[in-house]
Structures are given as C-alpha cells and as structure tokens.
Amino acid sequence: MTQQLLKNRRLPSDRPATVTFYDYCSKGELRFQACADCGEFRHPPRPMCPHCNSQNIEWKAVKGTGTLYTWTIVVQALDKILVDDVPIIVGIVELDEGPRQAAWILGVAEEDLRVGMKLKVSFEAVTDKVALPQFSPA
Amino acid sequence: MADSMSLRDRACIVGIGETEYVKGTPKSRLELALQASMAAIQDAGLNPQEIDAVELPNGSAGGGAAGDLAANLGLGDVRFTTSLQEMGGAQCVASLEVAAMVIAAGIAKHVLIPIAVQWASGPSARAFYEQQGTGLQSVETIRDYYVPFGVGAPAQHYAWMAQRHMSIYGTTHEQLGAIAVAMRKHAQLHPKALMRGKPMTMQDYLAARWISKPYRLFDCSLENDGAAALVVSSAERARDMKQKPVYLSGIATGHPYPPQDIPNRPDILTIGLDFAAPAAYAMSGLTPSDMDFAQIYDCFTGQTLLQIESAGFCKKGEGGPFVEGGRIELGGQLPVNTHGGLLSQAHVNGMNHIVEAVVQLRGDGGERQVKDAEFGAVSGWGGHAHGALAILRR
Ligand SMILES: [Zn+2]
C-alpha cells in the first residue's frame, strides 16, 4: 500500500512492532511495548522481556509528559529530505513512566534547552498511517 | 588445571603493516588488505606460508573472506579463521583477544589480522544503517526509531552523549577542541597522516561549521581509504623473531546495556569500556598510571573524552579538565594518539592505533617517540559504545 507523504520525513520500516508504535501515534496515543507478564517496558520493541524472559507483549499507554534527557542540534541534514528543516533539535525525552524516545523538540530556543526541562508530547502526521511524536515545553 | 588460563603475556604483536592513507583509491578493499598484510608479514620476518590463522576484524567488509586472503597470499594449511561483528570499531582491539586465545590454545602459530576501509570511496556509514535484513537489532533501531527524526549518522547519535556530558559535568567546547587540536598536532609528526601539513589552532577548530551540535567538523574523524594489518605470534616464538616483541599483557571487551539502543540505557555515559578496562588492567597487573601513552579510539572528540575517563585516566566527569593544558599531547602526562588518531591521521577502524602503539613500544617513533615508552593502552569503540582495551608492553 502506498501512503501519501504529507511531510518530508524518512519513514520507519514495516516491521510489525514498528508499524504498531507509529500507528498508535497516528491515533494520537503514545504507547510503548511492555511485558504482558511482569509489566516492564521494553522499548525499542524486542521479542523477549530481559527481566522475566516472557515473550508476551502488551502496548502500554503513557501520559505523554516527560523531561529532556539530552539533545543534539542537527545542522547538516542526514539526507536531502530534511535540508529545508535543519537546524532541528532532536532530543531524547524520558517519559514520566520510564521509556525514552528520540523526538524533535519544538518551541524552545537553543539557549533555553536544559537537561530535565519538562516536556509534553504532540504528534505530526507524516502519512495517513504514520505520525511522529514531538515534544514542546509542558 | 586451573579454572582459567590467563592470556597475560602469552601472545606478542610481531608484525605491523600499513598502506598509504588516501581520500579516494582505484584499489579494491582486497587489494588494500593484501598490501597491508604483505607489509605486516614481511615486518615480522615471515613468509606468507607460515601464517596459519586469519582473523577478520570487520568480516569480509574489511577486504575479503579469509579464503580470499589465503588464495592471494598463498597461505597453506590455515588452522583457524574467524570474523568479528556487532562491536564495530572495537573489533580491531577485540581481535587481539581472539588471537591470544588461539595461540595460547596451540591452535595456530602466526595469526594475520588485516583490515581495509573505504570510508572515502565506499558506501557511507549511513548507508549501512539503512540496510534491510542485516539481522542486527541495532540497525533496525536506528532505522525505525532515530532516522525518522533525522538522526542516523554516528556524528548525530554520539552527539547525544557529548551534550549530556557537557550539560551535567560542564564540559566545554574548548575542552572537546583540546582533543582535536592535540590529535592534529601529533599528525604533523607522522609521515602517513592525512592532516600532516595542515596544522589547526583552537580558533580554527571553533570557526569550523557545525555538523550536529555540540559537534563541529573537526570533532569528527576522517573519511579515507587504506588498510592496516598485524601479525600475532606466541611469546616463545616472538623472542627469536625479527622485531622486538610487543607483549599483549591485558585484553578485554565490554558492552553497554542494552547494546542496540542508546536512549534507553539507564545511563548513556556508561560505555562498554567501563566493563572492559578493569578486566584488562587486572589481567596485566598494571594500572592506568603505569601507562606511558594511550591510543584512544577517537571517532569523535566526545567519545574520546568518555574513553579517557572509562580507561581510568581520570574520574568520570573530569575528562574535560583532564584534556586541557597539553596533558594529552606529546610531552604531557599522557600522550594520546601519538599518530594523530582517527581525527587527524586516518580512520582505519583503530587498527592504526594498535600499529602506532607497537611503533612506540619498539622505540621507532622518531620525532614523535614517547621517551622510554614501556607500557601503553589501546582502546576500541564501536557499534554504539561497545568497548575493548589492550594493555601492551615492550
Ligand atoms: Zn517481563
């Protein structure tokens, strides 16, 4: 199925767990794979829980609030697809429930970036099936 | 028999070889690997027929399969071959551990370890991460969870670590710059350094364009073509061979957790070398303060800083002040990358770091010789912070 590209972004692959993650995002939900037996998050998705070795999964919703763990400001675009967007702040956001996710940080001046600053999620639709989480100050 | 057999001083590096390092070459990786291999075999005073093991630190991507090398070099009865994977740039140092095991177990006598790179002529690092079907979770993680956000090159995801170090420890751009400037200074003294004849001041460093903040152009290693190779033999044989033997006194590898994803590590500044270094020192019976120099895998300045800390040369978080004031330059307390490193000599996945350590311990460093160098450390880093440390002595 070809999807209409709404934004110039490099799409994730069609691995099943990846499709599920971004499909939830396109519905406005941030959910991470977790162990259906012991409840621990395992993100990025993997086939076995390293805490209890269960292969059972669930997709646990998080509130979408968290803090900035670190960041980089991409000035030289990875490839042509992003040349009109750079510089972009790509942070690692630690969700309040624990998992961390790379995402664009919006609405913050470079000099105001701080480890630990409070952030909240929103979503940017890239196709009708894929949306990317992005964060701005809470 | 004891539960464990220490590899301490069981094996020696007896031969080293390097091609020229260039940006762009008509030669294949196999041709480059063969050229470096012949140089190393001749340096060891051996004939190719005496090589009976081939180790490929980067698999066939490093020049060819073991059989390709054997068929061209005319290796006869090869008793052992192996390839390393997943640890990326740490695999050259890690290959020393395997060579020592093979020799200590009596499986082979002379192990050839070649690697060729085509960072300039071949596909980019980014292309590697975009491959489908590698079976590596690390590649899938980058492709599915970093690349959609515009992060897919090492300069970008490693910049996350450098920024965190700056934010929580107060490390400065000038401190990262001190690493780049020291490497450039050393490169002026090495005939095969790509940056020889191109000195760089701190002002030059700070004026360069941004790649992915906090990394500027000269925080990033070179992209070049070339090859380097080693021959490793038993300590008993090495004593009667052509060169002064360089003993592998300690060797260990270590891994970050989880290895395949950077953001979800409990602490992204805990790296594989944190686990490798104590084991390598323990095997050698030596400590960081015994080291006369260190060849650190300087893929980026921030990763160099992390490894200087993890290799025990200063405390965690104190790498910034440590690299200032010429401490890591020739003549300083701990000369680092006396050949110019990946930043200013050439990017040969760190095989050039092992070669340079051997040159120093033989006393063949010429105008860049560390006076009376007796002990040296060589680190490897790769594949998202896997680590390896070798402790070498003359
Ligand atoms: Zn579990």
Side-chain angles (χ1 to χ4, degrees):
Chain A
M1 184 182 72
T2 48
Q3 298 178 10
Q4 193 198 344
L5 204 60
L6 308 172
K7 296 269 178 159
N8 280 328
R9 303 286 181 267
R10 192 64 66 185
L11 290 175
S13 77
D14 57 2
R15 286 194 302 148
T18 297
V19 169
T20 303
F21 177 80
Y22 288 105
D23 191 45
Y24 277 122
C25 289
S26 74
K27 293 171 184 152
E29 293 180 49
L30 192 55
R31 286 178 181 262
F32 293 97
Q33 195 191 75
C35 176
D37 288 305
C38 78
E40 289 274 350
F41 283 104
R42 53 183 200 260
H43 184 66
R46 60 177 75 93
M48 181 175 279
C49 171
H51 303 279
C52 75
N53 303 119
S54 165
Q55 295 197 41
N56 299 320
I57 61 165
E58 60 176 340
W59 286 85
K60 263 167 78 165
V62 298
K63 294 194 307 286
T65 53
T67 54
L68 185 60
Y69 184 77
T70 187
W71 67 90
T72 181
I73 301 175
V74 175
V75 178
Q76 181 177 316
L78 180 63
D79 53 25
K80 289 194 194 79
I81 207 163
L82 286 173
V83 284
D84 295 332
D85 293 291
V86 292
I88 48 177
I89 303 168
V90 187
I92 297 177
V93 179
E94 181 170 293
L95 279 305
D96 291 338
E97 294 84 351
R100 297 197 196 118
Q101 173 61 40
W104 289 14
I105 309 299
L106 305 174
V108 191
E110 180 180 340
E111 58 273 20
D112 294 331
L113 289 165
R114 296 286 182 278
V115 165
M117 68 187 297
K118 289 189 171 16
L119 300 166
K120 64 174 190 312
V121 75
S122 59
F123 298 93
E124 177 195 46
V126 177
T127 72
D128 55 358
K129 298 292 278 179
V130 173
L132 302 180
Q134 56 191 18
F135 288 81
S136 51
Chain B
M1 193 172 164
D3 284 347
S4 70
M5 171 187 68
S6 173
L7 294 175
R8 177 179 173 175
D9 294 340
R10 298 292 298 270
C12 291
I13 302 172
V14 297
I16 51 176
E18 292 176 291
T19 63
E20 296 300 318
Y21 298 131
V22 294
K23 283 177 172 281
T25 177
K27 290 183 180 169
S28 69
R29 285 185 217 182
L30 178 58
E31 289 172 293
L32 294 167
L34 291 167
Q35 188 185 335
S37 295
M38 280 308 298
I41 292 165
Q42 285 164 358
D43 182 65
L46 295 172
N47 294 312
Q49 294 77 19
E50 294 172 272
I51 299 294
D52 56 358
V54 179
E55 252 192 83
L56 303 170
N58 203 21
S60 57
D68 300 331
L69 286 141
N72 284 277
L73 292 167
L75 308 185
D77 186 10
V78 174
R79 310 304 310 162
F80 182 83
T81 67
T82 195
S83 294
L84 286 80
Q85 73 162 15
E86 185 191 27
M87 294 174 66
Q91 287 161 195
C92 285
V93 175
S95 69
L96 292 172
E97 183 177 49
V98 183
M101 288 192 282
V102 168
I103 284 163
I107 294 167
K109 298 182 183 70
H110 302 293
V111 184
L112 173 67
I113 312 174
I115 188 168
V117 297
Q118 285 185 326
W119 293 114
S121 305
S124 67
R126 181 168 57 76
F128 174 75
Y129 293 123
E130 288 174 0
Q131 290 178 88
Q132 308 277 331
T134 60
L136 291 171
Q137 284 196 332
S138 55
V139 171
E140 293 171 346
T141 296
I142 289 183
R143 194 186 61 221
D144 286 355
Y145 296 95
Y146 310 172
V147 168
F149 303 90
V151 164
Q156 299 170 326
H157 48 76
Y158 286 167
W160 281 332
M161 296 180 187
Q163 180 59 55
R164 173 108 181 146
H165 201 280
M166 295 172 88
S167 292
I168 66 175
Y169 295 123
T171 306
T172 66
H173 289 285
E174 287 76 7
Q175 288 166 342
L176 297 183
I179 295 171
V181 167
M183 302 307 96
R184 189 65 67 90
K185 211 177 256 192
H186 296 165
Q188 305 314 309
L189 304 176
H190 197 297
K192 285 190 172 174
L194 281 164
M195 287 301 187
R196 185 178 172 118
K198 296 174 187 164
M200 179 174 73
T201 65
M202 182 65 80
Q203 287 70 31
D204 297 332
Y205 163 83
L206 292 169
R209 65 187 167 90
W210 292 109
I211 301 295
S212 196
K213 296 183 184 182
Y215 286 156
R216 295 175 164 90
L217 180 61
F218 298 122
D219 291 297
C220 306
S221 46
L222 295 164
E223 292 183 323
N224 55 263
D225 306 316
L230 309 173
V231 176
V232 178
S233 306
S234 71
E236 295 79 41
R237 283 194 172 81
R239 287 192 263 276
D240 299 321
M241 289 174 67
K242 181 175 162 190
Q243 306 288 354
K244 276 182 267 184
V246 168
Y247 290 82
L248 181 64
S249 290
I251 179 73
T253 57
H255 311 281
Y257 187 86
Q260 63 284 104
D261 179 49
I262 294 169
N264 284 284
R265 292 174 187 166
D267 173 11
I268 64 165
L269 300 183
T270 297
I271 59 176
L273 192 59
D274 287 308
F275 306 100
Y281 287 119
M283 184 189 289
S284 71
L286 299 164
T287 68
S289 63
D290 291 318
M291 298 299 115
D292 296 305
F293 62 81
Q295 317 296 5
I296 303 289
Y297 195 94
D298 53 329
C299 45
F300 299 92
T301 53
Q303 278 54 46
T304 311
L305 196 76
L306 292 177
Q307 291 171 86
I308 285 172
E309 295 175 359
S310 299
F313 297 116
C314 65
K315 290 198 183 108
K316 284 269 183 185
E318 294 179 3
F322 183 86
V323 300
E324 288 181 313
R327 191 177 278 110
I328 62 168
E329 295 179 10
L330 280 162
Q333 178 191 320
L334 181 77
V336 170
N337 295 351
T338 49
H339 54 327
L342 308 179
L343 289 167
S344 277
Q345 190 210 27
H347 196 315
V348 201
N349 286 28
M351 191 67 94
N352 49 328
H353 292 49
I354 305 172
V355 168
E356 174 68 4
V358 171
V359 168
Q360 289 286 344
L361 292 170
R362 287 178 182 176
D364 291 342
E367 55 181 335
R368 62 177 201 283
Q369 178 64 43
V370 175
K371 193 166 176 289
D372 300 325
E374 190 178 2
F375 304 112
V378 187
S379 81
W381 163 297
H384 301 183
H386 294 277
L389 190 71
I391 308 298
L392 302 175
R393 72 167 178 88
R394 69 181 184 205

